[in-house]
């Protein structure tokens, strides 16, 4: 059997396994309502964030999820407030707080008429030139303001008026009640409800089948016995012997306790390079995520000097149709291991990441918290367990602009000054080019160092796209300008040194 046909057979086997798993999920009993007469448990993901908040409130602040909408036109504040209140009434998660009883937290759900926490700020008294900056300051304050998990609310909105027909709406949620997918759900429902209420119409949204607390109880019940053991065994095999820490070259020593202070750099690849990378993945049956993940892992290996590394990635974890329309914390984190072989080529690496990712998807039901518990890595307040660097691909539709009666809504990107990891790269495909956001721990890295890292990433991506049969060890990571600087700029041969002194004496001098 030739190499190509063997790879095709392997792909067919993996796809058959995934199809079998999806059929089994579809045939399984649907998630039903939990017993509301008993304490409602947290999901495994929620429990991790709750414990984190108890140990380190600064770490909890890194899990705030902000969204900002620019509202241009004639705004109906009454309809907006009613729409927000209705979203909160629909989703119990937005009315949930977490009480710790004897070290075992439970969900405490507020009444449906509780409403959505809402505040207003009016900047029209300021000179027009100062309003944008003042609105940005208000947004930063909203992101940073702490949440009280025990009392709630854990989602809030602030409407900032810049002019009669110009507003900013800031919505901040704690990750314990929401995730990236949920932000899209909230924005869509808010838009639909605003359109209806501003025209005097009733709520047009269909009733929800279940609530997040039902999912939490179902998850606790399902992850037992055979399912739990099978999933746990896979992750133990996958991560057995993996290094606990990725030793990246940092500008400062790693602090004993993470502050979670962070910075953000944004970048974009050219349309031409993006197209070549898409073609590279397609030739090897790999998605854009797999191709870019392979490149990111290779860069981390080159700069750290480690051939064996673990990189985290986030999954939406919404395989069941009942949970797709819910606001809640469903996202799971997978720890993907990558090994860089001595003679491996670009094609070999892409195929390795492809196969590893498909197998991880088969075993994504086990919450990351359970993986950590099963592996029992050495815990440290200085770095995250299992991995310290993340990569994700945002495949959700772009925010764009949405026209409503008398109003236009545009989603606005917000800068963050916190981060959960040493490095967290999030890429997006807009159909033509790839763009990226790189969050970095400012305790460890200067902005200039992270900018150089991004430059090397682009050089490496171009080299991978240009030669899929090229050995990984020979791929360049430095631009021609940086290479010239290292070889010649830092080695000024015109300087004459005292030949009577030894080299260590010159260093001393």
């Amino acid at each position: 059997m030739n190499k190509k046909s063997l790879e095709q057979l392997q792909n067919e086997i993996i796809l058959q396994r995934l199809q079998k798993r999806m059929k089994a999920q579809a045939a399984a009993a649907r998630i039903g309502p939990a017993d509301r007469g008993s304490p409602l448990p947290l999901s495994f993901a929620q429990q991790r964030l709750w414990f984190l908040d108890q140990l380190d409130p600064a770490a909890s602040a890194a899990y705030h999820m902000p969204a900002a909408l620019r509202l241009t036109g004639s705004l109906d504040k009454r309809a907006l407030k009613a729409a927000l209140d209705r979203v909160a009434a629909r989703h119990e998660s937005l009315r949930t707080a977490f009480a710790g009883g004897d070290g075992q937290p439970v969900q405490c759900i507020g009444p449906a008429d509780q409403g959505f926490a809402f505040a207003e700020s009016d900047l029209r008294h300021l000179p027009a030139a100062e309003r944008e900056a003042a609105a940005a300051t208000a947004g930063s304050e909203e992101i940073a303001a702490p949440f009280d998990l025990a009392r709630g609310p854990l989602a809030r909105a602030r409407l900032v008026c810049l002019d009669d027909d110009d507003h900013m709406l800031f919505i901040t949620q704690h990750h314990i009640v929401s995730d990236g997918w949920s932000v899209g759900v909230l924005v869509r429902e808010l838009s639909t409800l605003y359109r209806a209420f501003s025209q005097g119409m009733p709520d047009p949204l269909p009733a929800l089948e279940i609530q997040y607390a039902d999912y939490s109880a179902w998850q606790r019940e399902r992850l037992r016995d055979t399912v739990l053991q099978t999933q746990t065994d896979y992750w133990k095999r996958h991560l057995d012997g993996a290094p606990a820490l990725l030793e990246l070259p940092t500008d400062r020593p790693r602090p004993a306790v993470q502050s979670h202070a962070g910075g953000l750099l944004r970048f974009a690849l050219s349309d031409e390079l993006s197209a070549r990378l898409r073609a590279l993945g397609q030739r090897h049956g790999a998605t854009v995520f797999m191709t870019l993940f392979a490149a990111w892992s290779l860069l981390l290996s080159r700069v750290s000097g480690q051939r064996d590394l673990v990189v985290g990635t986030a999954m939406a974890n919404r395989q069941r149709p009942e949970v797709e329309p819910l606001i809640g914390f469903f996202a799971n984190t997978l720890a993907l291991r990558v090994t860089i072989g001595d003679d491996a080529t670009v094609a070999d690496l892409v195929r390795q990441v492809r196969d590893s990712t498909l197998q991880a998807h088969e075993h994504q039901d086990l919450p990351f918290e359970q993986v950590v518990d099963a592996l029992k890595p050495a815990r440290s307040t200085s770095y995250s367990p299992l991995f310290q660097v993340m990569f994700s691909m945002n495949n959700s539709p772009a925010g764009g602009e949405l026209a409503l009666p008398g109003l236009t809504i545009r989603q606005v990107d917000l800068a963050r000054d916190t981060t959960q990891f040493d490095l967290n790269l999030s890429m997006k495909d807009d159909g033509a080019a790839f763009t990226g956001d790189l969050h970095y721990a400012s305790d460890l890295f200067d902005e200039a160092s992270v900018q150089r890292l991004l430059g090397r990433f682009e050089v490496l991506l171009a080299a991978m796209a240009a030669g899929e049969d090229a050995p990984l060890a020979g791929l360049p990571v430095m631009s021609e300008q940086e290479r010239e600087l290292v070889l010649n700029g830092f080695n000024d041969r015109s300087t004459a040194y005292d030949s009577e002194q030894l080299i260590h004496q010159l260093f001393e001098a």
Side-chain angles (χ1 to χ4, degrees):
M1 182 179 293
N2 61 43
K3 184 176 180 181
K4 182 176 180 180
S5 59
L6 177 60
E7 290 170 0
Q8 291 175 336
L9 178 61
Q10 290 172 333
N11 286 340
E12 290 173 2
I13 292 173
I14 292 172
L15 288 173
Q16 287 172 359
R17 289 176 181 173
L18 288 174
Q19 290 169 353
K20 182 178 179 181
R21 179 174 181 270
M22 293 173 66
K23 288 180 180 179
Q25 287 179 336
R30 296 176 72 83
I31 301 173
D35 179 8
R36 298 307 175 98
S38 302
L40 295 170
L42 279 63
S43 69
F44 291 110
Q46 285 182 324
Q47 186 164 312
R48 175 171 62 93
L49 290 194
W50 184 86
F51 278 118
L52 188 65
D53 179 79
Q54 304 301 299
L55 294 172
D56 183 4
S60 182
Y63 289 88
H64 291 190
M65 300 184 56
L69 302 174
R70 191 71 176 246
L71 312 176
T72 306
S74 178
L75 175 64
D76 185 338
K77 292 184 182 180
R78 180 200 57 80
L80 175 62
K81 182 65 168 63
L84 284 167
D85 288 344
R86 181 57 191 149
V87 171
R90 283 173 54 79
H91 297 275
E92 288 182 349
S93 56
L94 298 178
R95 298 180 271 115
T96 300
F98 302 88
D102 298 325
Q104 292 297 323
V106 294
Q107 298 190 52
C108 303
I109 302 171
D113 61 357
Q114 173 177 305
F116 202 108
F118 185 81
E120 292 187 59
S121 299
D122 194 337
L123 304 180
R124 286 177 293 181
H125 64 283
L126 295 176
E130 299 177 12
R131 295 175 190 172
E132 290 289 341
T137 298
S140 298
E141 292 172 350
E142 278 296 306
I143 295 173
F147 286 106
D148 185 340
L149 299 193
R151 298 182 61 184
L154 302 181
R156 58 177 180 252
R158 176 175 292 275
L159 181 67
V160 178
C161 177
L162 291 90
D163 210 335
D164 293 344
D165 59 354
D166 190 9
H167 297 77
M168 288 284 289
L169 177 64
F170 297 99
I171 299 177
T172 309
Q173 305 170 86
H174 195 286
H175 203 349
I176 200 169
V177 298
S178 187
D179 57 18
W181 181 297
S182 298
V183 173
V185 173
L186 189 151
V187 170
R188 287 194 300 273
E189 290 198 354
L190 182 60
S191 300
T192 300
L193 291 167
Y194 178 89
R195 177 184 288 111
F197 294 163
S198 64
Q199 297 177 350
M201 299 171 61
D203 174 5
L205 295 173
L208 298 172
E209 293 184 38
I210 60 169
Q211 293 288 339
Y212 187 86
D214 304 320
Y215 164 79
S216 301
W218 171 85
Q219 183 193 54
R220 294 276 180 173
E221 182 65 28
R222 182 174 183 273
L223 285 178
R224 294 184 178 182
D225 305 329
T226 304
V227 173
L228 178 63
Q229 193 61 52
T230 300
Q231 299 257 335
T232 302
D233 288 346
Y234 167 78
W235 289 107
K236 282 184 174 180
R237 291 193 305 271
H238 180 62
L239 298 173
D240 180 45
L245 179 64
L246 183 61
E247 299 278 4
L248 295 171
T250 61
D251 295 300
R252 285 169 292 283
R254 185 179 293 276
V257 179
Q258 299 178 78
S259 74
H260 297 279
L264 168 65
L265 288 178
R266 292 191 164 101
F267 67 100
L269 304 180
S270 68
D271 291 3
E272 187 269 339
L273 177 55
S274 300
R276 289 165 56 202
L277 290 167
R278 279 195 199 87
L280 170 63
Q282 290 169 356
R283 287 194 295 272
H284 300 284
T287 63
V288 168
F289 166 86
M290 297 170 186
T291 305
L292 295 176
F293 185 96
W296 180 238
S297 301
L298 178 58
L299 178 66
L300 296 173
S301 173
R302 292 287 292 273
V303 299
S304 68
Q306 295 175 228
R307 297 288 192 89
D308 185 5
L309 61 155
V310 179
V311 180
T313 189
M315 308 301 298
N317 195 31
R318 302 214 184 199
Q319 302 98 308
R320 303 186 64 87
E322 308 99 299
V323 304
E324 288 185 6
L326 291 182
I327 292 175
F329 185 13
F330 295 94
N332 194 17
T333 303
L334 305 182
L336 302 184
R337 189 175 185 177
V338 179
T339 54
I340 309 298
D342 292 337
D343 301 319
T345 65
V346 171
D348 293 334
L349 178 61
V350 172
R351 286 192 291 262
Q352 178 197 153
V353 169
R354 176 200 64 194
D355 295 345
S356 178
T357 302
L358 289 172
Q359 292 168 21
H361 276 225
E362 281 194 87
H363 300 88
Q364 67 172 303
D365 287 338
L366 189 68
F368 177 72
E369 298 71 32
Q370 299 292 92
V371 175
V372 175
D373 288 344
L375 291 168
K376 295 179 172 58
R379 294 301 189 103
S380 172
T381 57
S382 183
Y383 56 85
S384 305
L386 300 187
F387 59 83
Q388 298 78 46
V389 176
M390 284 278 289
F391 177 87
S392 60
M393 194 80 197
N394 183 0
N395 293 319
S396 59
E401 293 192 1
L402 180 61
L404 295 177
L407 192 66
T408 298
I409 297 180
R410 179 171 57 86
Q411 203 158 348
V412 179
D413 290 331
L414 290 173
R416 298 291 304 274
D417 60 1
T418 60
T419 184
Q420 302 161 22
F421 302 96
D422 294 358
L423 296 171
N424 186 352
L425 176 60
S426 175
M427 300 287 293
K428 182 181 292 187
D429 183 359
D430 66 5
F434 302 143
T435 59
D437 290 352
L438 180 55
H439 293 265
Y440 61 93
S442 51
D443 281 346
L444 302 178
F445 303 101
D446 292 332
E447 181 178 328
S449 300
V450 180
Q451 192 69 63
R452 281 195 298 273
L453 186 69
L454 284 176
R456 292 173 179 178
F457 185 47
E458 187 165 354
V459 170
L460 185 59
L461 286 169
M464 290 179 63
E468 60 192 71
D469 295 323
L472 299 177
L475 295 179
V477 294
M478 290 191 294
S479 65
E480 287 300 322
Q481 295 87 344
E482 188 176 8
R483 181 179 174 84
E484 173 65 22
L485 185 64
V486 170
L487 293 179
N488 298 311
F490 294 152
N491 295 280
D492 187 355
R493 301 174 186 177
S494 64
T495 302
Y497 295 101
D498 185 354
S499 60
E500 298 298 321
Q501 288 185 294
L502 300 178
I503 186 67
H504 71 280
Q505 293 172 321
L506 292 173
F507 272 105
E508 289 175 353

